[in-house]
Amino acid sequence: YEAKKHKNSARIFASHMQDSYLNKVLVEQKLRHGLEQGELFMVYQPQVDCAGQLCGVEALVRWNNADLGFVPPDQFIPVAEASGLMPALGNFILHTTLNELAALQKKMSLNFDISINISVSQFLQPDFITILTREIMGSGIPSRMVTLEITESLFIEDLDQIIPLLKQINDMGLQISMDDFGTGYSSLSMLRQLPIDELKIDKSFVDGISDNRADQKMIQNIIAIGKNYDLVVLAEGVEDQKQMEMLQRFGCDRFQGYHFSRPLSAGDLEHFLRKAVGCSDETSQTSMV
Ligand code: C2E
Ligand code: MG
Ligand code: MG
Ligand code: MG
């Protein structure tokens, strides 16, 4: 029922959206209102290492609106970006993620990375570093636990502006991950100049790993680049054991996808962590493979 409801509402949303200016304004108004009315929330998708240990979670934003239903983030984030709502939405995402996980950390020790997606306009906000610092300090989460996920579309912007910002974030102790790597604009020479820690292999390549030679080669190339630059390589959208085994054979370090877990609410994440710890003796850690 849930899935069907989501599918229908996504379709209604898409047909409402089209490219019409009026509809964009409508969605923008609903989003602004929804942000104030608490319609937005965060979910967290586990990431595991080769031993099956939980090594991170990716924070993903959700919007459930009474009229539009469940609207997928890749549809409403562009609206927020285009309409000037992204600073408010981005601040909500940072604040909620850090504080929900800090609350969880008060109940149980968390030793994993917290990955937060940062959109281009959010990253380029003049006060982004100030807000980031304030939110991290305010939450009590150590900055070394925080990873910012950026996309290659950031690099269409002025590199002379972006590189110093990335260096500053790196100096603050945060990790930086390149999301959807290989789908966009970055070049190898650019990669060399950037203080990044992780490459994320896009789901579109993982989808084809079992039977598409071009996707296999792409993944092998990304992993080789990652190894050469001493980066962690994480594959996203891993849906079955066969994909996992091939990725592992190719040398991928970390994995994320429905094969391990769907994105979970903070409450469900707590449950998930307790179950993973509870089913083993005290010396072993959270294993889920
Ligand atoms: P992304 O950052 O590449 O996130 C990964 C997407 O893949 C998520 O979709 C996740 O739910 C989905 N996914 C993970 N594993 C699987 C799998 O095994 N199978 C399938 N079919 N899907 C899987 P989601 O949450 O719909 O987000 C879509 C995109 O929207 C994200 O892509 C990201 O670009 C953007 N987004 C989501 N949350 C945020 C956010 O808090 N801030 C920003 N700036 N962007 C966000
Ligand atoms: Mg991401
Ligand atoms: Mg991605
Ligand atoms: Mg992706």
Side-chain angles (χ1 to χ4, degrees):
Y1 173 73
E2 266 296 297
K4 200 172 161 220
K5 197 176 73 186
H6 286 181
K7 229 181 225 155
N8 285 342
S9 51
R11 191 160 51 233
I12 293 164
F13 175 78
S15 67
H16 269 289
M17 261 290 286
Q18 296 305 331
D19 253 355
S20 127
Y21 173 74
L22 256 184
N23 281 327
K24 277 207 177 117
V25 171
L26 177 85
V27 171
E28 182 198 328
Q29 278 170 356
K30 285 195 188 298
L31 185 58
R32 191 183 303 275
H33 188 74
L35 204 49
E36 287 160 6
Q37 297 302 308
E39 293 175 4
L40 285 106
F41 58 98
M42 301 305 299
V43 289
Y44 306 95
Q45 187 175 33
Q47 303 173 329
V48 304
D49 65 17
C50 286
Q53 311 291 326
L54 182 82
C55 56
V57 294
E58 178 177 11
L60 296 158
V61 67
R62 294 292 178 259
W63 179 25
N64 195 356
N65 176 267
D67 301 328
L68 299 172
F70 173 88
V71 186
D74 43 15
Q75 294 190 32
F76 70 79
I77 286 182
V79 175
E81 288 257 64
S83 65
L85 259 184
M86 201 57 223
L89 177 58
N91 293 353
F92 166 84
I93 289 166
L94 271 176
H95 185 83
T96 308
T97 300
L98 291 168
N99 288 287
E100 284 194 332
L101 294 176
L104 193 54
Q105 199 177 30
K106 293 211 174 80
K107 298 192 214 170
M108 60 206 304
S109 83
L110 306 183
N111 48 354
F112 52 73
D113 299 334
I114 301 165
S115 272
I116 305 176
N117 292 284
I118 306 295
S119 76
V120 174
S121 76
Q122 187 185 2
F123 189 87
L124 296 175
Q125 260 171 256
D127 55 355
F128 177 65
I129 301 275
T130 310
I131 289 168
L132 180 66
T133 308
R134 186 189 72 204
E135 289 300 336
I136 290 178
M137 302 277 277
S139 70
I141 296 276
S143 54
R144 62 174 161 74
M145 280 178 70
V146 181
T147 301
L148 301 187
E149 290 192 13
I150 56 171
T151 60
E152 292 171 299
S153 46
L154 187 60
F155 303 121
I156 332 169
E157 309 291 331
D158 182 13
L159 273 187
D160 291 339
Q161 182 191 357
I162 286 156
I163 293 174
L165 280 171
L166 288 173
K167 293 211 164 109
Q168 215 179 328
I169 291 165
N170 185 54
D171 289 343
M172 286 163 63
L174 286 84
Q175 313 281 313
I176 295 164
S177 175
M178 283 283 295
D179 205 351
D180 309 331
F181 186 71
T183 63
Y185 309 81
S186 60
S187 67
L188 284 177
S189 67
M190 200 182 278
L191 210 54
R192 189 178 54 83
Q193 303 175 59
L194 303 175
I196 58 173
D197 306 282
E198 181 181 83
L199 296 182
K200 285 190 91 168
I201 302 175
D202 193 59
K203 178 180 183 304
S204 60
F205 303 123
V206 175
D207 284 342
I209 196 174
S210 312
D211 48 24
N212 185 320
R213 192 69 193 111
D215 287 340
Q216 285 171 10
K217 284 191 176 171
M218 188 70 192
I219 289 174
Q220 286 173 308
N221 287 336
I222 293 174
I223 293 171
I225 292 166
K227 298 289 153 198
N228 274 324
Y229 285 112
D230 283 322
L231 309 176
V232 171
V233 181
L234 183 149
E236 69 182 359
V238 182
E239 292 186 342
D240 60 48
Q241 184 69 28
K242 189 170 176 209
Q243 290 173 341
M244 159 79 181
E245 279 165 9
M246 290 188 76
L247 286 161
Q248 207 159 0
R249 188 141 43 81
F250 290 165
C252 190
D253 306 299
R254 294 182 172 199
F255 313 87
Q256 176 184 346
Y258 296 171
H259 180 55
F260 309 99
S261 173
R262 300 233 164 202
L264 306 168
S265 68
D268 287 346
L269 178 66
E270 177 177 353
H271 208 72
F272 181 92
L273 293 171
R274 289 197 193 285
K275 221 169 54 188
V277 173
C279 68
S280 55
D281 65 82
E282 61 194 12
T283 54
S284 57
Q285 295 144 313
T286 49
S287 179
M288 59 204 68
V289 179

